[in-house]
């Protein structure tokens, strides 16, 4: 909170013009349509980011500070929900909320916490995934709960396109349900509809899905999997960007330890099924983080010209899900 108070500012950062211009049109009574809120922006459809930020910009005379405070409130909700999830799965482990809080309230997040679009593009999906995992990992699933979970899935997808790849992970939650078939079908149909809705919007846009409105970075990154070993350094170091380490090599070493340790823990949990139901939520935490850094490697490696570990701290919020899952 002190970071926001001290370093929060009203100078728009990269891409913030997307919401500011939309607010300007509304403030000056220009004609707008639903497409102005659902248009694609750099490969994402930030519908819920616009729905949150534009009204706040209009209400508070285009100052961004209320949005930054809102992001801090979202982080508080994430910690609260995570605490109750710990209490639900293993009450003796609730003390783990202390190291988890250190990761969620990471001071290295100054960049996303003082950037409207970038911050919400990370924190809104993070909040959504935590709430989805909490809603689905319950002893008795109901239609209102899965409907609310589908709503948060739409928030994630229509804030950050990475959300398209996360909802299949949540199918793990249904293994503890008695009438799992019904709920799995409901979840898959609902999320498939949201995915098709997203893709239909990208087809009608000049910015094609995966292209980032620039060169075809995905095709280039796939070719680098064979031709450029630096892409693996980039991937491994993404696993440790929640920490401040002195040497580039340390990011790679720590990232390797975190990723391998989580995968070993995940494999052990799947083999030793006696306590699987209590660790499913934390497997989902880590898997979301793991898939996210995989997507970042494919989509953002070229943004750093292949220079391994020089990664922006903007990506910290979602990548912290791996160490959180590993801790529990």
């Amino acid at each position: 909170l002190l970071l926001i108070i001290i370093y929060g500012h009203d100078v728009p950062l990269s891409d913030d013009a997307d919401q500011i211009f939309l607010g300007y049109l509304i403030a000056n009574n220009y004609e707008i349509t639903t497409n102005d809120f659902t248009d694609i922006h750099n490969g994402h459809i930030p519908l819920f980011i616009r729905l949150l930020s534009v009204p706040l910009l209009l209400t508070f005379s285009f100052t961004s500070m209320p949005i930054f405070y809102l992001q801090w409130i979202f982080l508080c909700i994430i910690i609260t929900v995570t605490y109750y999830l710990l209490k639900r799965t293993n009450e003796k482990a609730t003390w783990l909320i202390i190291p988890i809080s250190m990761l969620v309230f990471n001071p290295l997040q100054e960049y996303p916490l003082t950037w409207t679009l970038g911050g919400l593009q990370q924190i809104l999906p993070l909040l959504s995934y935590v709430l989805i995992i909490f809603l689905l990992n319950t002893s008795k699933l109901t239609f209102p709960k899965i409907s609310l979970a589908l709503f948060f899935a739409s928030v994630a997808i229509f804030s950050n396109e990475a959300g398209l790849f996360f909802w299949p992970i949540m199918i793990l939650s249904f293994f503890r349900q008695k009438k799992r078939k019904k709920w799995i079908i409901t979840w898959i149909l609902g999320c498939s509809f949201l995915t098709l809705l997203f893709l239909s919007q990208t087809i009608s846009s000049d910015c094609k899905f995966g292209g980032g409105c620039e060169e075809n970075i995905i095709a280039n990154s796939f070719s680098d999997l064979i031709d450029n070993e630096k892409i693996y350094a980039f991937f491994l170091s993404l696993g440790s960007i929640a920490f401040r380490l002195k040497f580039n090599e340390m990011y790679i070493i720590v990232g390797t330890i975190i990723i391998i340790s989580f995968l070993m823990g995940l494999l052990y949990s799947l083999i030793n099924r006696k306590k699987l139901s209590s660790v499913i939520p934390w497997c989902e935490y880590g898997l979301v983080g793991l898939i996210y850094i995989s997507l970042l490697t494919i989509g953002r490696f070229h943004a750093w010209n292949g220079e391994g570990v020089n990664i922006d701290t903007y990506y910290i919020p979602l990548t912290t899900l791996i160490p959180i899952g590993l801790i529990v």
Side-chain angles (χ1 to χ4, degrees):
L1 185 59
L2 283 172
L3 282 172
I4 294 171
I5 293 171
I6 296 169
Y7 294 107
H9 49 75
D10 297 323
V11 180
L13 293 178
S14 174
D15 298 318
D16 283 345
D18 173 71
Q19 308 133 80
I20 292 172
F21 185 65
L22 185 54
Y24 170 83
L25 293 177
I26 296 172
N28 289 277
N29 298 317
Y30 282 91
E31 183 180 351
I32 62 167
T33 65
T34 55
N35 286 336
D36 292 310
F37 282 89
T38 59
D39 275 346
I40 198 163
H41 179 77
N42 283 348
H44 305 280
I45 300 179
L47 169 63
F48 287 94
I49 294 174
R50 290 163 177 157
L51 289 175
L52 272 177
S53 59
V54 171
L56 286 171
L57 287 170
L58 291 170
T59 303
F60 294 96
S61 303
F62 287 86
T63 174
S64 299
M65 289 302 292
I67 300 171
F68 302 151
Y69 292 129
L70 181 64
Q71 292 178 172
W72 179 79
I73 291 171
F74 286 160
L75 291 179
C76 292
I77 295 172
I78 289 165
I79 283 295
T80 304
V81 174
T82 301
Y83 171 78
Y84 282 107
L85 191 58
L86 276 168
K87 197 171 183 180
R88 179 189 292 175
T89 55
N90 187 348
E91 193 162 0
K92 292 181 180 179
T94 50
W95 66 273
L96 291 174
I97 200 65
I98 298 170
I100 290 172
S101 296
M102 293 177 181
L103 287 164
V104 173
F105 292 109
N106 190 335
L108 297 178
Q109 294 180 114
E110 178 266 328
Y111 188 15
L113 284 174
T114 55
W115 176 16
T116 301
L117 184 133
L120 289 174
Q121 205 166 64
Q122 290 284 308
I123 294 171
L124 265 183
L126 178 61
L127 174 65
S128 299
Y129 303 140
V130 170
L131 289 171
I132 290 168
I133 292 169
F134 182 80
L135 288 166
L136 296 184
N137 285 277
T138 180
S139 56
K140 186 179 180 181
L141 193 58
T142 61
F143 186 74
K145 287 181 181 177
I146 198 168
S147 299
L148 195 56
L150 284 169
F151 167 74
F152 286 117
S154 68
V155 173
I157 291 171
F158 289 95
S159 298
N160 189 325
E161 69 174 346
L164 295 169
F165 302 90
F166 295 139
W167 64 261
I169 296 170
M170 307 308 169
I171 293 175
L172 287 172
S173 302
F174 300 109
F175 291 147
R176 60 187 299 178
Q177 301 297 326
K178 292 181 180 179
K179 298 179 180 179
R180 69 181 70 167
K181 188 176 180 180
K182 177 179 72 172
W183 298 123
I184 289 174
I185 292 171
T186 304
W187 178 254
I188 291 175
L189 288 176
C191 290
S192 297
F193 171 76
L194 292 172
T195 301
L196 290 172
L197 197 62
F198 181 96
L199 294 176
S200 66
Q201 185 67 19
T202 62
I203 290 170
S204 61
S205 170
D206 290 334
C207 178
K208 301 303 180 185
F209 174 68
C213 294
E214 299 167 2
E215 59 181 321
N216 196 342
I217 53 177
I218 291 181
N220 290 335
S221 291
F222 271 119
S223 66
D224 280 329
L225 291 174
I226 301 172
D227 303 327
N228 193 344
E229 69 280 356
K230 286 184 178 180
I231 196 169
Y232 297 102
F234 188 85
F235 169 76
L236 294 170
S237 54
L238 273 169
S240 62
I241 64 167
F243 310 98
R244 175 57 69 229
L245 305 170
K246 187 172 179 63
F247 305 106
N248 289 346
E249 292 76 12
M250 287 299 296
Y251 281 99
I252 298 171
I253 293 169
V254 173
T256 302
I257 293 170
I258 289 172
I259 293 169
I260 291 177
S261 300
F262 170 74
L263 289 174
M264 289 177 64
L266 178 64
L267 182 62
Y268 176 79
S269 300
L270 294 173
I271 294 172
N272 182 23
R273 297 193 175 188
K274 291 181 180 179
K275 295 184 177 181
L276 181 60
S277 61
S278 64
V279 297
I280 281 177
W282 313 108
C283 291
E284 291 173 328
Y285 267 61
L287 282 171
V288 168
L290 189 61
I291 290 178
Y292 184 63
I293 66 171
S294 301
L295 294 172
L296 283 181
T297 302
I298 295 170
R300 301 305 295 161
F301 178 59
H302 281 273
W304 279 265
N305 297 316
E307 290 302 321
V309 297
N310 298 314
I311 303 164
D312 208 316
T313 54
Y314 153 63
Y315 297 108
I316 285 177
L318 283 169
T319 60
T320 55
L321 287 172
I322 304 178
I324 290 174
L326 175 61
I327 284 171
V328 183

